[in-house]
Amino acid sequence: MADRPQMVDRILGLLAGTAVGDGLGAPFEGRSSVPATALDRWISSSRTLHHTDDTAMAMVLAEHLARSGGIDQAVLASDFAVAWYQEPLRGYGGGAARVLAAIADGADWRQAAVSVFEGGSWGNGAAMRVAPVAVVSTSVPEAAELGRRSAEITHTHAHGRHGAALQSAAAHLALHSDPDHPLDTDAFLVDLTDVVPSASWQEKLAGISALLGREASTEEAAGALGNDIGALGSVPLAVFAFLRHAEAPEAAIRCAVRCGGDTDTIAAMTGALSGARHGYAGLPASWTFRLEAGPRLHRITAQLTQDRSAGDLTRRRPREE
Ligand code: RVK
Ligand code: MG
Ligand code: MG
């Protein structure tokens, strides 16, 4: 079990991993694949890693959790809408921007969430921002439940909600995994199976396991799991990239970007998981020092941890959960 300083570093790692993946992946968003040479050139530059909607919304969610300790959906909807209103050019999804504009305009968030797409959005926008709920969750089911509640504000479609639940549960497992021993990737996937009671999601989890078993390439993994803007077509790939390089955050985030497609979002989700397992200290300093959001991420980590004892930070219910 991590002691308090380690857990604080891992919470900062979860947030910084999100921002690093987002910033490193953003220039390649939409490319079918990303050559190693192009990624190397971008990685070796010293340019600021600007963040997009992924990190912007994750920070808003984290600040909300720090203030309230849980999720007040009406307040969180307003928090998201204010952030969109202040910075609408962070690359928000088209439907999400319209939902947030409606909330900013005074619409009830429950109506706004289904006003753009019938049945709500199946985009990955709820999953991309959800990792901070792992910090305030004491079990995998609680992380999944909080993930779903945070999703409903903009993503009421089952896939949008399941994606958030899977990513938040994975973040919880990563945050409480033991980085001094190799991660048991099979057990990690088994722990996720109850989180998504849906055949299409179960198939993806089985697909991750098969791809890990044959040490699949980024091309094969992206082809099998998807690398698109939908939750079902991106969250499993992010989990794959994390598990493929479970002991090497740099390699995991590189792998996520090289998968192509929705690169900022897939790498942000992988980065959250790798950062949660290995901490801020486990992320390359040559990446974290470039973060536009760096000072705010440190402030949020302090807010999330200041009133909580070591026990609160490290407690996790046993596996019968
Ligand atoms: C630009 C039909 C639907 C749908 C439904 C499609 C940022 C739409 C981030 C929609 C992430 C898009 C990403 C994204 C996050 C979703 N019927 N089409 N029921 N549900 N779509 O707008 O926050 O990059 O084409 O809800 O999930 O970096 O515009 O946004 O990559 O998926 O956007 O869904 O997107 P939205 P989001
Ligand atoms: Mg984005
Ligand atoms: Mg994206």
Side-chain angles (χ1 to χ4, degrees):
M1 187 60 76
D3 60 20
R4 184 184 163 87
Q6 286 168 347
M7 188 49 78
V8 171
D9 185 70
R10 289 172 74 167
I11 292 167
L12 179 57
L14 176 151
L15 296 170
T18 303
V20 154
D22 185 4
L24 285 177
F28 304 102
E29 193 175 16
R31 293 211 198 163
S32 56
S33 67
V34 178
T37 47
L39 181 55
D40 285 343
R41 218 175 304 123
W42 172 223
I43 280 179
S44 62
S45 89
S46 56
R47 288 173 55 192
T48 300
L49 292 177
H50 292 289
H51 57 267
T52 73
D53 53 337
D54 307 58
T55 308
M57 296 192 90
M59 291 192 292
V60 171
L61 176 55
E63 286 165 345
H64 177 85
L65 293 166
R67 272 197 309 276
S68 66
I71 289 175
D72 180 325
Q73 288 176 305
V75 175
L76 182 57
S78 165
D79 291 344
F80 283 147
V82 167
W84 167 81
Y85 186 82
Q86 289 174 339
E87 294 188 316
L89 302 183
R90 285 282 178 189
Y92 284 84
R98 286 169 61 195
V99 169
L100 296 173
I103 296 168
D105 229 20
D108 182 273
W109 66 268
R110 289 176 197 278
Q111 284 158 14
V114 290
S115 63
V116 178
F117 300 117
E118 202 181 325
S121 172
W122 40 244
N124 54 20
M128 72 186 183
R129 69 188 184 219
V130 79
V133 308
V135 175
V136 301
S137 308
T138 57
S139 69
V140 171
E142 187 185 359
E145 169 61 17
L146 283 177
R148 284 198 171 83
R149 283 174 56 72
S150 73
E152 281 164 1
I153 294 156
T154 47
H155 291 70
T156 52
H157 191 285
H159 285 330
R161 288 183 286 113
H162 285 333
L166 190 71
Q167 172 68 4
S168 54
H172 181 82
L173 288 169
L175 197 59
H176 294 283
S177 64
D178 180 357
D180 295 329
H181 293 96
L183 188 68
D184 183 338
T185 57
D186 288 333
F188 192 95
L189 290 168
V190 167
D191 279 347
L192 291 177
T193 49
D194 291 339
V195 169
V196 277
S198 145
S200 37
W201 285 88
Q202 297 289 332
E203 274 170 34
K204 294 279 182 156
L205 289 176
I208 296 172
S209 178
L211 290 161
L212 289 172
R214 56 177 182 272
E215 300 187 0
S217 66
T218 53
E219 291 80 9
E220 187 186 359
L225 299 173
N227 63 358
D228 57 60
I229 207 165
L232 184 63
S234 57
V235 180
L237 186 60
V239 174
F240 164 82
F242 163 61
L243 294 177
R244 178 84 170 78
H245 302 281
E247 312 313 330
E250 182 171 346
I253 294 168
R254 284 181 62 98
C255 170
V257 176
R258 293 218 45 221
C259 284
D262 193 0
T263 45
D264 65 328
T265 301
I266 294 163
M269 294 190 287
T270 299
L273 303 179
S274 293
R277 175 162 166 78
H278 295 284
Y280 187 76
L283 297 167
S286 58
W287 295 1
T288 50
F289 94 94
R290 292 166 59 188
L291 286 175
E292 174 194 10
R296 186 168 162 197
L297 298 178
H298 280 84
R299 272 199 306 278
I300 293 171
T301 302
Q303 290 161 5
L304 275 168
T305 56
Q306 66 190 356
D307 294 329
R308 303 172 67 206
S309 69
D312 285 342
L313 287 176
T314 56
R315 192 179 52 223
R316 184 183 168 219
R317 288 194 196 124
R319 254 183 95 174
E320 85 279 2
E321 70 199 22

